[in-house]
Amino acid sequence: MSEQYSKGTIEGDKKTEWICGCFQTTDNYFKFCSTHNLTLQKAIQDQVDELDMTTIVEEESN
């Protein structure tokens, strides 16, 4: 895949290119290829849990 994105480094922004089917959309979401999807999905979920970025939603009973 020839998708490119900028990667911030201490030297400044560098153009980088994916080496697989993963890509970043123009609205800054990431789409992972089938090779990396399961691993990255688990990593993201673990990070969300560790950072406590969720809240419990209780449904109201009518």
Side-chain angles (χ1 to χ4, degrees), residues 5-51:
Y5 67 104
S6 292
K7 179 179 181 180
T9 68
I10 57 173
E11 296 90 14
D13 283 348
K14 292 186 175 183
K15 286 287 187 186
T16 58
E17 192 170 293
W18 294 107
I19 59 171
C20 62
C22 297
F23 65 92
Q24 182 179 16
T25 65
T26 55
D27 53 355
N28 290 322
Y29 285 94
F30 290 89
K31 174 70 176 155
F32 304 120
C33 69
S34 58
T35 303
H36 298 115
N37 188 48
L38 187 59
T39 303
L40 291 170
Q41 182 179 12
K42 182 174 177 3
I44 291 167
Q45 288 172 347
D46 290 346
Q47 195 68 15
V48 166
D49 289 344
E50 184 177 327
L51 294 171

